[in-house]
Structures are given as C-alpha cells and as structure tokens.
Amino acid sequence: MAKIKMKNSVTVAETFHDFLVGKKAAGVSEKTLLTYGQHFSAVSKHLSPDTPMDALNKADLEDMISSMRDAGLAANSIKSYTRTLKSFLSWCNEAGITRLNIQLYKAEETIKETYSDEELKKLLKKPNMKKCTFAEYRNWVIINLLLNNGCRAATIRNIQIKDVDIENKVNYLRHTKNKRAQVIPLCEALCGILREYMRVRGGDGDEYLFPNENGVQLTENSLRCTISKYNRRHGVEKTSIHLFRHPNVKPKTQILSSEKQKVLIIIKKIIRTQPVEKRPAWEKSRQAAKHRRYVQAENSRKERRDCRLAF
C-alpha cells in the first residue's frame, strides 16, 4: 500500500472552490456565484488552475493578462475577469492564504449605444387591446415601467401585485442587487397604465405582477427573450433590457406615448415625497425611515411657520 504523503499546498482551483463556498455562506446571490464561476472558467484558459497557491506570483498574473490580450479578448471582458480575481485574492488575503493581489485592468470607456427617441416611441406604442395577446400587452407595460424606474430584470420579475401602490404613486422594490428595499415614485401616466393592467391581470396581492400567460413567474431568461421578441416585432434591433437603464435622453425628459401623453422618465434618484404608510417590513427599510424623517421635518417647519403667522 502506498504511503500517504502530506499535502502542504492547495491549487488555485481548490482555493477558488473554497472562496465560492465562503461567499455563498456570506449570502452572496446565486447569480453572482454563477458569474464568479464563469469568469474563473475563462481565466483558467490563461492561468493554470493547478498552480499551487503558495507558488502563484505577480508575474503569473501579468502573463495571464498578456495572454488574454494576445487572444483578442475585449478590454471590458479582461476588466470583468480581473475584478473577480481581485475579489478572490482579497478573500485569500483575509484568510491568510496569500498576500498577493491584482489591480483592475484599465479598459477604455466605451459609449453605450442606447435606445433612441424614435425607437422608444415604437416600443411605447400601445398594442391593440382587442387583438393583442396578454404577453404582448404585459411586455408593453414592462417597458413603460423600465423607463420609469430603470430597474434590473431580476427586480422586474420579482415585483408582486401588492408592491404597486397606485394611490400613493409608489412602487416598492424588494428584490434588488444590493438587497436593500427601495421605494420608487411613479409618474401620473404610468399609474394609469398600471391601474388598467392590474384590472386586466387580476390576481391576489402575493402573486407576481408580470407572470407568463399561465400565471407562473417568469424566469429571468424568459423575460429577456420575450422583451427581445417584442422589440424586434416593433422594428427595434436592440434587445437588451439593461439598455433601458441608460436611455438616450436627459434626466427628466418626457417622451410621447401612444395616447399622446408624455411619460416622465426618471433617471436620477429623486426625493421621496410620497407618503409611506405600508407594512411594518417596509417601515424598517432605510428608504422608508429616511422618508419619515423628511416628512416629520417638513411638518415641523410648517407648524413653526403657522405659529409665527398666527402671532
């Protein structure tokens, strides 16, 4: 029988596996973990995953980046890979595995090709309610909502009916990238669109606002595919949901909808002036607490002013 030998070092691949386990235990989302794994697979083509961690050095990382450039990888891709490696090596530093780290790759900034005003007008043309399917109508409403609040695909698919407060003109976003609840104001025109949609959609408060035609929650891939098909049917070749976060208009610009009404596109964060009197869970959120302090301060100022006027 072969003698068991001590294993004094672990490989990069083994350490990266431990990194993923640690991040999962820390509450990192499954999507982020998946991205980490995909990036490591790409990095492994330019940096041997069997390299012992204690033998990994700065020259290996520089050779890796040089190999990526020689392979013709886009600068933004290299930047994304080095960002993941930086997170991995920072975790290794905290665990005392290595003192090595890496700088983010400097990629030239590129101007994103966003939706033009003409393309947005095509996408915002309301479908014929007597002839269209529920899916087409739902997609039109989704695009209106995306232009109002610029949220991500994962956030859109997790909105529930109870999260839309038409009376107070706010939308509560519970599923966000940073896991912080957000309170997003809704413009007047969008409130009308959502009010009509919710009458057509029906359902209870705990159901998802934008399901498929069978009432089941859309997967993120299904959402991307259905918006892609919707855009192409309306003569728009751009199909990215994320592009709605970077509309080719100035903040607070208004565009014309199918009913000749102007839909206010809100890009930057604005002061939450709408009343927030919702469930206790929302009251504990940072945004709700900030709003309460703002309203209390405004009421106090009004009371002091009224007292001065009275005398």
Side-chain angles (χ1 to χ4, degrees):
M1 182 179 293
K3 199 171 185 178
I4 298 175
K5 296 181 179 180
M6 289 293 292
K7 188 176 181 181
N8 296 319
S9 64
V10 293
T11 65
V12 172
E14 290 170 332
T15 309
F16 195 84
H17 177 267
D18 293 341
F19 162 72
L20 292 179
V21 172
K23 287 297 182 181
K24 187 171 185 177
V28 172
S29 70
E30 290 295 331
K31 185 177 179 181
T32 300
L33 293 174
L34 179 62
T35 300
Y36 283 159
Q38 292 171 341
H39 286 185
F40 184 71
S41 296
V43 167
S44 297
K45 298 176 182 178
H46 307 276
L47 175 68
S48 175
D50 296 325
T51 303
M53 277 300 301
D54 55 7
L56 187 66
N57 55 47
K58 185 178 179 181
D60 293 327
L61 299 179
E62 290 174 345
D63 289 341
M64 175 199 71
I65 292 176
S66 179
S67 175
M68 288 179 177
R69 293 188 62 175
D70 292 341
L73 269 64
N76 284 335
S77 295
I78 299 175
K79 185 177 181 180
S80 295
Y81 299 152
T82 55
R83 183 182 292 112
T84 295
L85 275 180
K86 187 172 180 66
S87 296
F88 166 58
L89 291 172
S90 295
W91 177 85
C92 290
N93 290 174
E94 293 176 4
I97 298 172
T98 183
R99 297 180 64 182
L100 185 67
N101 216 317
I102 188 173
Q103 290 185 341
L104 288 179
Y105 183 75
K106 293 183 179 179
E108 292 184 5
E109 288 190 12
T110 56
I111 299 175
K112 294 182 182 292
E113 187 181 5
T114 57
Y115 292 104
S116 66
D117 290 347
E118 196 61 37
E119 288 171 329
L120 289 175
K121 287 179 181 178
K122 290 179 181 179
L123 297 176
L124 288 170
K125 183 178 180 181
K126 187 176 181 180
N128 187 327
M129 297 290 286
K130 295 181 180 179
K131 297 181 179 179
C132 72
T133 63
F134 169 74
E136 184 177 359
Y137 176 51
R138 176 205 62 205
N139 294 341
W140 175 74
V141 177
I142 288 174
I143 287 175
N144 275 274
L145 185 59
L146 285 169
L147 286 171
N148 182 90
N149 60 28
C151 60
R152 292 178 168 81
T155 302
I156 280 285
R157 61 181 288 270
N158 280 286
I159 296 175
Q160 295 179 309
I161 293 175
K162 66 184 179 184
D163 296 332
V164 180
D165 186 346
I166 299 294
E167 183 180 350
N168 293 314
K169 301 178 183 177
V170 290
N171 182 195
Y172 297 92
L173 305 181
R174 295 182 294 169
H175 186 98
T176 61
K177 186 175 181 179
N178 60 12
K179 298 186 178 180
R180 293 178 180 174
Q182 296 180 6
V183 183
I184 305 297
L186 300 173
C187 65
E188 189 66 41
L190 184 59
C191 285
I193 291 171
L194 287 172
R195 187 181 293 109
E196 180 188 43
Y197 171 77
M198 290 166 76
R199 281 200 298 266
V200 173
R201 189 249 181 271
D204 298 325
D206 291 330
E207 295 181 22
Y208 291 102
L209 183 63
F210 300 116
N212 62 20
E213 291 181 305
N214 296 319
V216 179
Q217 182 188 20
L218 286 170
T219 64
E220 194 164 335
N221 185 57
S222 297
L223 175 58
R224 294 185 188 281
C225 288
T226 194
I227 293 299
S228 175
K229 291 177 182 177
Y230 177 90
N231 287 12
R232 288 199 173 98
R233 279 199 302 269
H234 288 77
V236 178
E237 290 304 312
K238 300 187 189 82
T239 59
S240 171
I241 289 180
H242 198 77
L243 280 184
F244 288 107
R245 292 173 58 82
H246 310 280
N248 190 24
V249 288
K250 294 180 180 180
K252 300 184 181 180
T253 296
Q254 293 178 324
I255 56 176
L256 204 61
S257 71
S258 58
E259 290 98 358
K260 308 301 180 182
Q261 297 176 333
K262 292 186 176 180
V263 179
L264 183 62
I265 301 178
I266 303 175
I267 307 299
K268 297 180 178 179
K269 292 181 180 179
I270 65 173
I271 298 174
R272 277 49 166 163
T273 58
Q274 300 295 336
V276 181
E277 298 174 355
K278 297 293 292 184
R279 299 169 295 279
W282 291 116
E283 289 296 326
K284 295 177 182 177
S285 71
R286 181 175 62 87
Q287 289 81 4
K290 182 178 179 181
H291 176 76
R292 288 198 302 275
R293 290 194 298 270
Y294 172 78
V295 172
Q296 288 169 1
E298 282 294 306
N299 290 338
S300 296
R301 280 194 288 270
K302 288 179 181 178
E303 288 176 3
R304 289 196 298 270
R305 186 177 66 247
D306 292 342
C307 286
R308 287 197 298 270
L309 291 174
F311 289 99

